Amino acid sequence: METAVVVINAQTGIELATRRMMKWAQARKLCCMIVVNKIDAENVDLPALLADIQGTFGKECLPINLPAHSGKDIVDCFFNPDGESDFSSVKAAHAALVDQVVEVDEALMGSIWSRAISAPNNCTPRSRRRCANGT
């Protein structure tokens, strides 16, 4: 499946071209990935930008990476169940990503659940309930 990558400048936020690209991709039933660049620029409000992205394009827009060390590094929220970031909680971002994967892809849910059995602390309460219920 093809994926459309839409870049949002952290300094300017969601612009008209961003909205057009997202509509274009949705009309073609493409998966979309939003990349936010210039996160280390001055006067950037990343929590507000994330809220704006989610408010505009949906709550399913979740951060896969969060900035750390004043935007100089990033922390992977998908594979790291915990860590430090400049804003938000890596643990909460990880749990939201896992829950979304569980909701969207049942085959992957089984893979996550089998790994969770060997390391139960990596499985979120919501995904444990869904796996236990077979949903």
Side-chain angles (χ1 to χ4, degrees):
M1 178 175 266
E2 293 183 21
T3 301
V5 178
V6 178
V7 179
I8 297 176
N9 180 327
Q11 292 176 299
T12 57
I14 298 171
E15 298 179 299
L16 181 58
T18 308
R19 294 175 199 277
R20 285 182 181 163
M21 282 303 301
M22 291 295 284
K23 283 183 183 178
W24 180 86
Q26 289 171 345
R28 285 153 184 78
K29 299 186 188 307
L30 297 175
C31 294
C32 294
M33 174 185 281
I34 297 173
V35 175
V36 179
N37 69 354
K38 300 185 182 181
I39 63 170
D40 58 347
E42 297 211 13
N43 300 320
V44 170
D45 186 352
L46 291 175
L49 179 58
L50 177 59
D52 194 24
I53 291 169
Q54 290 177 328
T56 303
F57 302 118
K59 290 289 184 187
E60 64 272 9
C61 295
L62 299 171
I64 295 175
N65 298 307
L66 286 173
H69 308 110
S70 301
K72 307 265 185 269
D73 294 315
I74 59 165
V75 60
D76 181 325
C77 300
F78 189 78
F79 291 107
N80 293 316
D82 210 353
E84 305 231 352
S85 73
D86 292 344
F87 78 95
S88 190
S89 161
V90 174
K91 187 174 187 171
H94 174 78
L97 286 165
V98 169
D99 284 345
Q100 187 167 327
V101 168
V102 166
E103 195 164 306
V104 171
D105 190 328
E106 290 188 31
L108 191 52
M109 177 180 77
S111 171
I112 291 170
W113 182 243
S114 67
R115 282 184 285 170
I117 291 171
S118 62
N121 292 335
N122 290 341
C123 193
T124 67
R126 181 176 172 200
S127 58
R128 275 196 290 271
R129 282 192 307 273
R130 288 186 57 115
C131 291
N133 295 333
T135 60

